Amino acid sequence: MSYKETILITGGAGFIGSHVVRLFVNKYPDCHIINLDKLTYAGNLANLKDIEDRPNYTFVKGDICDFEMLMKLFSGQQVTGVIHLAAESHVDRSIKDPFTFAQTNVMGTLALLQAAKLTWEALPEKFEGKRFYHISTDEVYGALEMTHPEGIQPPFTTKASSGKHHLSYGEQFFTEDLKYQPHSPYSAAKASSDHFVRAFHDTYGLPTIVTNCSNNYGPYQFPEKLIPLFINNIRHRKPLPVYGKGENVRDWLYVEDHARAIDLIFHKGKIGDTYNIGGFNEWKNIDIIKVLINTVDRILGRPEGEDMNLITYVTDRAGHDLRYAIDSSKLQRELGWEPSLQFEEGIEKTVRWYLDNQEWMDNVTSGDYQNYYNEMYNGR
Ligand code: NAD
Ligand code: TYD
């Protein structure tokens, strides 16, 4: 079958990538979706079991730092669009091993940009109809204060530039024109990759788009991140390691809403532009943790809040960013995107998914998924 378009999605076996791959494979049967993933500890093809046999889906095991492989893939498969999610993504790991983050997030992105550029500019139509979409994080902007101009204690009701009211922990938000001030090796590497993407647009005219999104939550997230780790620990009545005082604030977005935004921006976003994606949904860690405890306890039929004693305050993360808060009103204004799910609804769905999919969780925590798939895809 000949396809209308071939879209290369990198990091499609990870958390967000698997939702994006699923959405595109289901929604665009006339497009060939290639998932390029190295299958690091964070990549798990079980995340895509429901779509792995679709005719318009191909999995390729490979490293985005492997430039020669990328060149073959781009020309051999006639790739017309890239959605780039492959990255090392966990802040705590970046503090222990910054080199891997620079290698994958910076050098890998550069290899992908160069392969797209060289392949596309050699075609008669050059960059016409092509798109290189880089997925980044709000963490590149650094950390925001928790202040109010009249000294009101947070959280307080704020009016976003979209006109909507929401609870906020500070008067300042991350907007697209804010200067980059990354603090962790993870965010520094992501910031660097964003700069390379814009440099390829400004220097060579590569048709790029960058988006910076807030913290995602939902099914298939690797349980080193706060929400899946804590749901699993509450279930097994293991301690919940809260960094510092649990006062740090994050802006949470349901992963399927992020995938919907990616679809919209890939197709309708302005070339050369940047969009922030977020939920106007700020929470202190400790408050989220209490919601998780209450929800898990209720669903498991335990007395609600019984597991509050699992909360264990531990040494704070080095350089721990105080507050992230995205202003996504540009995306709303220009492309009409809004989060579809209220946080209460999203958290209920998420907790139920992890509790109902204990086998997925057990495979991931035991590392079994890697042995199985590594054998299956060895030598491909
Ligand atoms: P993840 O860690 O769950 O998945 C990353 C995927 O990339 C894995 O499948 C892994 O195998 C693959 N990968 C890693 N190194 C690779 C390499 N060298 N070559 C090919 N594949 C490789 O990450 P995630 O949470 O799904 O994040 C995806 C993207 O979205 C990242 O770029 C991240 O910076 C960004 N992001 C994440 C969040 C969030 O809350 N999780 C928020 C905003 C932006
Ligand atoms: P995380 O899920 O690692 O995402 P990020 O660092 O990208 O925001 O962490 C979310 C917040 O939860 C962050 O403020 C760190 C905190 N946290 C803990 O308190 N304990 C934990 O065990 C983890 C993993 C995170």
Side-chain angles (χ1 to χ4, degrees):
M1 157 152 188
S2 79
Y3 289 105
K4 202 176 91 188
E5 204 184 337
T6 297
I7 302 169
L8 176 66
I9 300 181
T10 69
F15 166 47
I16 303 172
S18 63
H19 289 273
V20 177
V21 167
R22 177 176 297 100
L23 177 68
F24 274 67
V25 165
N26 285 329
K27 191 168 168 186
Y28 303 108
D30 53 350
C31 290
H32 183 197
I33 308 302
I34 302 176
N35 171 14
L36 171 67
D37 199 296
K38 185 180 173 182
L39 298 183
T40 66
Y41 79 95
N44 182 359
L45 288 174
N47 297 357
L48 291 164
K49 251 193 157 358
D50 52 326
I51 57 104
E52 68 185 3
D53 294 328
R54 294 295 171 78
N56 65 331
Y57 171 69
T58 305
F59 172 70
V60 176
K61 183 171 189 269
D63 188 333
I64 54 164
C65 301
D66 183 348
F67 179 67
E68 277 172 29
M69 176 276 294
L70 291 178
M71 286 301 287
K72 282 193 201 128
L73 188 64
F74 267 84
S75 49
Q77 295 283 350
Q78 287 153 12
V79 173
T80 45
V82 176
I83 304 178
H84 174 37
L85 296 112
E88 289 293 336
S89 69
H90 191 43
V91 174
D92 294 330
R93 284 181 192 257
S94 82
I95 294 169
K96 291 200 185 92
D97 172 21
F99 282 106
T100 308
F101 282 69
Q103 178 64 18
T104 289
N105 299 2
V106 186
M107 295 308 287
T109 300
L110 182 55
L112 207 55
L113 284 162
Q114 182 75 346
K117 172 191 170 276
L118 291 181
T119 311
W120 291 343
E121 72 184 5
L123 298 171
E125 76 277 14
K126 300 203 182 295
F127 295 149
E128 185 68 40
K130 310 294 189 302
R131 209 153 257 231
F132 188 109
Y133 178 1
H134 175 64
I135 308 297
S136 192
T137 168
D138 61 353
E139 305 190 22
V140 298
Y141 296 117
L144 295 168
E145 299 288 331
M146 293 206 213
T147 52
H148 186 278
E150 285 136 38
I152 298 172
Q153 281 306 302
F156 44 78
T157 305
T158 285
K159 193 173 170 196
S161 45
S162 63
K164 284 204 168 169
H165 289 88
H166 56 94
L167 268 190
S168 179
Y169 283 85
E171 55 180 321
Q172 245 207 331
F173 292 88
F174 295 143
T175 49
E176 289 82 356
D177 52 4
L178 211 63
K179 105 172 181 211
Y180 275 28
Q181 277 189 301
H183 296 136
S184 72
Y186 163 64
S187 54
K190 289 298 289 186
S192 172
S193 66
D194 295 10
H195 290 317
F196 269 109
V197 174
R198 291 200 191 93
F200 267 64
H201 173 265
D202 296 351
T203 308
Y204 309 111
L206 193 77
T208 62
I209 300 186
V210 177
T211 56
N212 299 83
C213 188
S214 60
N215 285 55
N216 284 217
Y217 70 99
Y220 301 114
Q221 187 168 31
F222 194 81
E224 62 186 352
K225 305 276 166 63
L226 180 78
I227 289 186
L229 175 73
F230 278 34
I231 293 172
N232 197 42
N233 282 12
I234 300 163
R235 179 189 192 131
H236 296 292
R237 294 208 154 111
K238 288 194 201 156
L240 308 174
V242 181
Y243 298 162
K245 294 187 180 136
E247 297 282 309
N248 303 65
V249 169
R250 297 289 181 267
D251 176 0
W252 294 92
L253 181 68
Y254 191 67
V255 62
E256 287 179 2
D257 275 329
H258 188 191
R260 258 192 329 105
I262 290 173
D263 177 25
L264 180 69
I265 294 163
F266 179 73
H267 289 100
K268 300 268 166 61
K270 207 168 111 211
I271 295 297
D273 218 342
T274 294
Y275 300 88
N276 282 352
I277 310 172
F280 285 120
N281 179 40
E282 290 175 55
W283 283 77
K284 268 191 186 175
N285 291 341
I286 192 65
D287 294 335
I288 288 223
I289 291 161
K290 287 177 184 164
V291 170
L292 291 176
I293 293 170
N294 282 330
T295 311
V296 174
D297 282 351
R298 172 169 47 74
I299 294 174
L300 292 182
R302 299 174 183 168
E304 208 165 303
E306 185 179 67
D307 289 317
M308 291 294 172
N309 62 351
L310 296 175
I311 292 177
T312 310
Y313 292 96
V314 298
T315 309
D316 207 354
R317 173 186 278 173
H320 198 172
D321 285 336
L322 185 61
R323 171 175 169 252
Y324 300 147
I326 277 268
D327 182 344
S328 56
S329 45
K330 172 178 170 182
L331 181 56
Q332 189 194 11
R333 211 171 43 245
E334 295 188 6
L335 299 181
W337 177 88
E338 268 193 315
S340 68
L341 226 61
Q342 290 295 315
F343 188 62
E344 290 66 21
E345 211 184 322
I347 276 292
E348 180 81 20
K349 267 176 88 147
T350 302
V351 171
R352 283 189 186 277
W353 188 87
Y354 285 102
L355 295 180
D356 289 347
N357 288 276
Q358 191 59 41
E359 200 187 333
W360 179 91
M361 181 61 88
D362 289 344
N363 280 336
V364 173
T365 46
S366 68
D368 278 355
Y369 71 102
Q370 283 194 307
N371 302 334
Y372 173 67
Y373 282 107
N374 282 351
E375 272 164 34
M376 200 167 143
Y377 284 96
N378 242 350
R380 277 199 184 189

